[in-house]
């Protein structure tokens, strides 16, 4: 082989920002199904590149059937610091980790798992804090407010729990699954928050409408909130969506058209980034 034919040792190696991914690179995963909408890999990998950290976050499509096997793999992966999870795995993860934060236990849900040096796994739930951090930065005052929430799954119950913790006054909540509403009401028992099931016929008296369902994503187009119902919110009040892809959902388009302040799903992602990073120890 002559000099011109010699292989460049940098070719074929994946670049993460200004650094190369090698066998020494520490790995964090982002899992869920679907996974294409996840924005955490962008945030984490930008952070690692900006700080010169030899780390990378890798998105992997992992659904309910593959989850137990994935978790066992993480236990044995000594170069892995843990993972962040989105739908549909948050509820199942609580039974797969070794210990969990008080918030994760209260909500029976986990969206971030840290791997210890011995393979022990610890879980936390940051969705609620992330959501309210995001909408607070957008100018919404949580304490004493009244909101209507569509969705009582893992994200919805986390949002409701944190709303109560931050001094929210009144919550109306809707879900296709009545058992999810019952579970949410049980979690909020004793929190001093007035909870009513279902979406009211009028949103007058509420300050924000929240979508924490998958409705609005590419595979589930549309909006839980009819435009005429959103119009009963006072102009200048808020509409917030937990969906990250697409950023502009039908719900948010309708809300903007009638003069509401809109907060898209990126606010929730950015709002929980620091908590996720600190919990993972990166």
């Amino acid at each position: 082989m002559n000099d011109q034919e010699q292989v460049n040792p940098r070719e074929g190696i994946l670049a993460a920002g200004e650094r190369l991914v090698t066998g020494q690179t520490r790995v964090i995963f982002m899992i869920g199904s679907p996974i294409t909408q996840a924005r955490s890999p962008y945030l984490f990998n930008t952070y690692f590149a900006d700080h010169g950290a030899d780390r990378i976050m890798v998105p992997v499509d992992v659904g309910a059937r593959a989850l137990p096997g994935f978790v066992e793999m993480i236990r044995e992966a000594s170069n892995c610091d843990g993972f962040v999870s989105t739908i549909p795995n948050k509820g199942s993860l609580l039974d797969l980790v070794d210990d969990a934060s008080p918030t994760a236990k209260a909500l029976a849900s986990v969206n971030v798992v840290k791997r210890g040096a011995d393979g022990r796994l610890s879980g936390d739930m940051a969705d609620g804090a992330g959501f309210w951090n995001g909408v607070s930065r957008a100018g919404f005052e949580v304490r004493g407010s009244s909101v209507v929430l569509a969705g009582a799954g893992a994200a919805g119950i986390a949002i409701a729990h944190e709303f109560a913790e931050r001094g929210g006054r009144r919550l109306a909540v809707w879900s296709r699954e009545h058992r999810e509403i019952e579970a949410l009401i049980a979690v909020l028992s004793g929190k001093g928050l007035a909870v009513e099931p279902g979406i009211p016929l009028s949103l007058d008296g509420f300050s924000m409408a929240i979508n924490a369902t998958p409705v609005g994503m590419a595979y589930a187009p549309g909006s839980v909130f009819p435009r005429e119902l959103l119009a009963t919110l006072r102009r200048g009040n808020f509409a917030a969506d937990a969906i990250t892809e697409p950023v502009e959902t039908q719900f948010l388009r309708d809300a903007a058209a009638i003069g509401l302040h809109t907060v898209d799903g990126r606010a929730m992602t950015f709002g929980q980034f620091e908590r996720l990073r600190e919990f993972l120890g990166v």
Side-chain angles (χ1 to χ4, degrees):
M1 180 183 292
N2 59 39
D3 289 343
Q4 279 120 0
E5 293 172 328
Q6 287 183 358
V7 176
N8 182 344
R10 294 170 64 91
E11 288 181 355
I13 301 177
L14 178 65
E18 296 300 318
R19 301 185 66 89
L20 296 175
V21 176
T22 71
Q24 298 180 30
T25 302
R26 302 292 303 175
V27 179
I28 297 170
F29 291 99
M30 174 79 207
I31 68 167
S33 188
I35 195 63
T36 54
Q37 82 285 356
R39 295 185 177 269
S40 288
Y42 173 81
L43 292 179
F44 273 88
N45 289 326
T46 299
Y47 179 88
F48 296 152
D50 288 347
H51 290 76
D54 193 8
R55 298 179 184 271
I56 186 171
M57 174 177 272
V58 180
V60 184
D61 195 295
V62 175
R65 289 177 57 190
L67 184 63
F70 175 85
V71 171
E72 287 308 305
M73 181 274 290
I74 294 297
R75 291 185 184 277
E76 303 300 324
S78 60
N79 68 329
C80 176
D81 294 309
F83 61 93
V84 178
S85 182
T86 184
I87 56 173
N89 301 319
K90 298 174 186 179
S92 301
L93 278 170
L94 185 66
D95 293 330
L96 297 174
V97 298
D98 299 303
D99 55 71
S101 69
T103 299
K105 290 178 180 177
L107 302 179
S109 186
V110 167
N111 82 322
V112 57
V113 175
K114 178 180 180 179
R115 181 191 183 278
D118 59 355
R120 188 172 180 83
L121 302 180
S122 302
D124 190 18
M125 183 57 172
D127 277 351
F131 179 87
W132 292 110
N133 287 345
V135 297
S136 294
R137 288 171 185 163
F140 184 79
E141 177 57 49
V142 179
R143 183 166 295 278
S145 65
S146 299
V147 303
V148 55
L149 169 67
I157 199 169
I159 289 168
H161 181 267
E162 189 69 16
F163 179 66
E165 292 291 313
R166 298 193 185 198
R169 180 177 65 86
R170 178 188 177 199
L171 173 72
V173 58
W174 171 88
S175 171
R176 286 195 177 98
E177 301 288 340
H178 185 69
R179 59 180 178 79
E180 290 185 341
I181 296 179
E182 292 178 338
L184 184 148
I185 291 174
V187 166
L188 297 179
S189 177
K191 296 287 185 181
L193 178 68
V195 182
E196 53 196 76
I199 295 179
L201 296 178
S202 171
L203 303 185
D204 185 37
F206 291 88
S207 301
M208 177 184 283
I210 303 166
N211 178 46
T213 77
V215 178
M217 295 178 69
Y219 73 90
S223 173
V224 172
F225 294 96
R227 186 167 176 174
E228 57 271 22
L229 179 62
L230 284 177
T232 63
L233 276 171
R234 295 181 183 177
R235 189 178 182 88
N237 280 341
F238 284 74
D241 209 322
I243 290 174
T244 56
E245 182 62 38
V247 170
E248 187 183 60
T249 59
Q250 183 65 53
F251 166 54
L252 294 184
R253 286 195 297 272
D254 289 345
I258 59 177
L260 299 177
H261 293 300
T262 61
V263 184
D264 64 54
R266 292 174 296 185
M268 180 172 170
T269 302
F270 283 105
Q272 65 179 311
F273 173 68
E274 286 301 316
R275 178 163 171 172
L276 294 175
R277 186 181 64 78
E278 291 172 4
F279 183 78
L280 288 166
V282 297

